[in-house]
Amino acid sequence: MKILFASAEVNPFLKVGGLGDVAGSLPKYLAKIGEDVRIVMPKYEAIKSEQYSLKLVSKDIPVEIGDDKELINIYQTLLPGTKVIVYLIENKKYISQGDIYGINDEFKLIQRFLFFSKAILEIPFVLNYFPDIFHVNDWHTASLCLFLRLDKRYKEKPKVLFTIHNLAMQGKWNWQEVMNFLRLNGDEVFSLKEKTPGQFGLDFNIIQQGILLADFINTVSPNYALEILSKPYFSRGLQEYFLKRKQDFCGILNGLDYDVFNPQTDPFIPYHYSVKNIKNKKKNVFFLKQKLGLSENRKRPVFGIVSRLTFQKGIDLILKVIDKIVLLGDVVVLGKGERELENLLKKAEKKHSGKVKVFIEFNPKLAQEIYAGSNFFLIPSKFEPCGLSQMIAMRYGSCPIARAVGGLKDTIKPLRIRSLFLGLKTIQGTGIIFRGYTPNKFIKALNYGFNCFQNKHIWGKVVKKMMSQDFSWCKSAKEYQKLYKRIITR
Ligand code: GLC
C-alpha cells in the first residue's frame, strides 16, 4: 500500500512532544513490514537543509487558498537511519516562519495548518506519488479531509485515516472568519454546517471536521478511545460526533522505537545495561546523583519527570505533594511548557535545594540520563491519550507512578507484592497506578512505591519485570497495516 503520513512534527527534524516521536517511528516500522510509506511535514525555518541533506525536488508550485495564491517548494530527504522518504513543504508566508507552534497570533497558526493541509494535496500530482491512503495526525493536518472533498482533480478519492493524539488542542476559530479566509460559504460540504455545541459556540473546529469527514478515525490507546466515547471530560465537547462515528473509530496503542530507546546501546547514558545486567542500572542512578549533587544515600530513590510542562500532565499535583516527596527521595524535572508551571517548579527547587532539580529546557541527553538514572517516574496526568514516557521508563527500569487514565492504564499493570509462606513473596505488575486526582491518592501511591523500593531483593525483581515488557512498534505497526487494508478495501 502507498501511505502518505502527514504530521506537524517529526522526530528528529523538529518536535515538541509525543506526536513527533510517533511520526518519526511508526512509518519506519510500517516500511519494515513492506509498506510504501512516505512522510510529509512543514519545512520550518529551524530545519536546516545542510543538517538533513534536504534536496529541492520541486519549486514554485502554486497553491490557492481563498483569495490567496501562494507558491510552495518541496524538499526531499530520508528519515535518518531508514529508507523512508520525507517531503518537506516550504512557503514563506504561511508555513516556514518561526518554529512549530510559536506564532503569537492564533488565527495565523490556524491559517498555517489549513494552508499546509491543502498544500499536501499537490504532492501526488507534482511528484507522481498517488497514495491509497492519507494518514493525517491531530488537528494540524485534519483539514486535509475537507480540502480533499472539495478538490475536483481527484477523480477517485484516496482514503483518509485521521489519528487523534490529543483532544486538548482542536484547532478552532470563529466560523465566519475561517469561511472568509477559505472563501467558502459553508454550504459546499454538508457537515460544515454542523456546529459544535456549547462551549465552542459558532466556532469552526478542525478536529470536529476531521471526525466527520475522515474515512476512519483512531486514537492512540484503546482505553482513551473508550474514555472519549463514554465520558464528556475526555471527549471535550465532541462526544456526539465520536458517537456518530463509533463504527469507524478505534484505539491503537503507540509503540516505542526500540532502536532508539534501548539501555543496551543508548549513546546518551554512561553505563549500558539489560535485564541480565541490572547492576549497571544502579551505576546510572549513582552517576545522576553525583552529576546533580543529590544525596548519595542508596535508600533515597530518585523520582524522575521528563514531560511537557502543561496542565494535562498533572504538574500542579506534583507541586502540591513535593514537600512530601522530598521526605522520601530526590526529584529531577526536565521539560518546557507553561510559564507559570515552570516558575512554580523553579521555586520548589529553591525551597528544597539539593533535593529538587529543575531543568527548563529541551535536552535529549539529560532526558535519557534521567530515564536510566531514576528509580521512579512520575506521570500523574489528568488525561493521557497514550503517553510514551511510562513505556520508556519501564524499559529503563524506572518504575512509573501514574494515574489510571488513557494509555497509562493500558500499559502499566498494577504492582502487587504478595506474601506467601516462609517469607516468600510473589510480584505482579509493572508500575503503580492510582485513580483520584488528589494529593492523598498520589501520596499513597508514592509511599507504596517507596516501601517496595526499600526491599532490595524484591526491587531487583520489579526492575527486571518492567524491563522485560514488550512495547516495541512491531505489534502496533501491524495493527495499522490491518486497518489501512480494511479502509482501502471496503
Ligand atoms: C500526545 C499525547 C500523548 C501521546 C502522544 C503520541 O502528546 O498527549 O499521550 O502519547 O501524543 O501519540
Side-chain angles (χ1 to χ4, degrees), residues 17 32 258 423:
K32 276 193 193 175
Y258 266 26

Side-chain angles (χ1 to χ4, degrees), residues 176-387:
Q176 204 49 56
E177 276 184 60
V178 176
M179 288 306 112
N180 290 347
F181 172 65
L182 296 176
R183 280 278 164 258
L184 294 177
N185 62 28
D187 292 333
E188 285 92 341
V189 181
F190 76 95
S191 74
L192 278 178
K193 278 201 236 159
E194 304 201 33
K195 310 275 195 290
T196 37
Q199 68 197 98
F200 306 132
L202 295 182
D203 279 346
F204 177 80
N205 183 322
I206 296 178
I207 282 225
Q208 177 212 26
Q209 293 300 311
I211 297 167
L212 289 168
L213 299 177
D215 293 285
F216 203 98
I217 308 112
N218 83 301
T219 186
V220 287
S221 69
N223 188 42
Y224 187 53
L226 265 182
E227 289 170 339
I228 285 175
L229 289 174
S230 56
K231 293 179 202 138
Y233 175 75
F234 296 100
S235 51
R236 307 207 150 234
L238 295 171
Q239 194 174 23
E240 71 174 284
Y241 303 98
F242 281 107
L243 287 173
K244 227 178 227 177
R245 300 296 316 268
K246 208 171 145 190
Q247 300 305 324
D248 305 313
F249 176 56
C250 73
I252 299 179
L253 201 63
N254 284 331
L256 279 187
D257 190 338
Y258 266 26
D259 301 336
V260 176
F261 297 109
N262 182 354
Q264 275 182 283
T265 53
D266 191 328
F268 289 144
I269 63 172
Y271 304 99
H272 290 148
Y273 59 105
S274 69
V275 195
K276 292 197 190 98
N277 171 21
I278 60 165
K279 254 199 229 126
N280 272 4
K281 161 80 191 172
K282 288 185 194 142
K283 287 193 189 165
N284 283 290
V285 177
F286 194 70
F287 168 84
L288 188 69
K289 285 182 166 195
Q290 279 201 319
K291 175 171 169 166
L292 304 182
L294 302 171
S295 152
E296 286 171 20
N297 179 352
R298 279 171 195 273
K299 297 252 166 198
R300 273 181 75 78
V302 176
F303 297 89
I305 297 153
V306 178
S307 176
R308 283 184 288 123
L309 303 176
T310 64
F311 100 112
Q312 171 193 345
K313 300 291 181 179
I315 307 297
D316 52 323
L317 197 58
I318 291 175
L319 285 159
K320 275 191 191 134
V321 303
I322 203 154
D323 293 356
K324 296 268 166 29
I325 308 181
V326 295
L327 301 176
L328 309 175
D330 299 318
V331 183
V332 183
V333 187
L334 169 66
K336 265 165 79 167
E338 287 156 22
R339 200 40 63 76
E340 196 192 328
L341 292 173
E342 293 179 354
N343 291 340
L344 288 170
L345 283 166
K346 275 290 180 195
K347 244 181 157 171
E349 180 184 45
K350 254 202 193 136
K351 180 171 170 195
H352 300 292
S353 150
K355 294 179 182 163
V356 174
K357 293 280 167 186
V358 178
F359 300 89
I360 306 295
E361 59 187 282
F362 179 75
N363 185 336
K365 179 166 186 284
L366 183 58
Q368 294 317 106
E369 287 172 351
I370 295 173
Y371 283 113
S374 59
N375 306 102
F376 291 97
F377 207 85
L378 306 184
I379 321 169
S381 304
K382 292 192 180 68
F383 59 96
E384 198 60 79
C386 178

Side-chain angles (χ1 to χ4, degrees), residues 120-134:
I120 294 170
L121 294 177
E122 298 304 319
I123 284 185
F125 302 103
V126 176
L127 301 173
N128 199 24
Y129 175 78
F130 286 88
D132 300 301
I133 191 158
F134 287 105

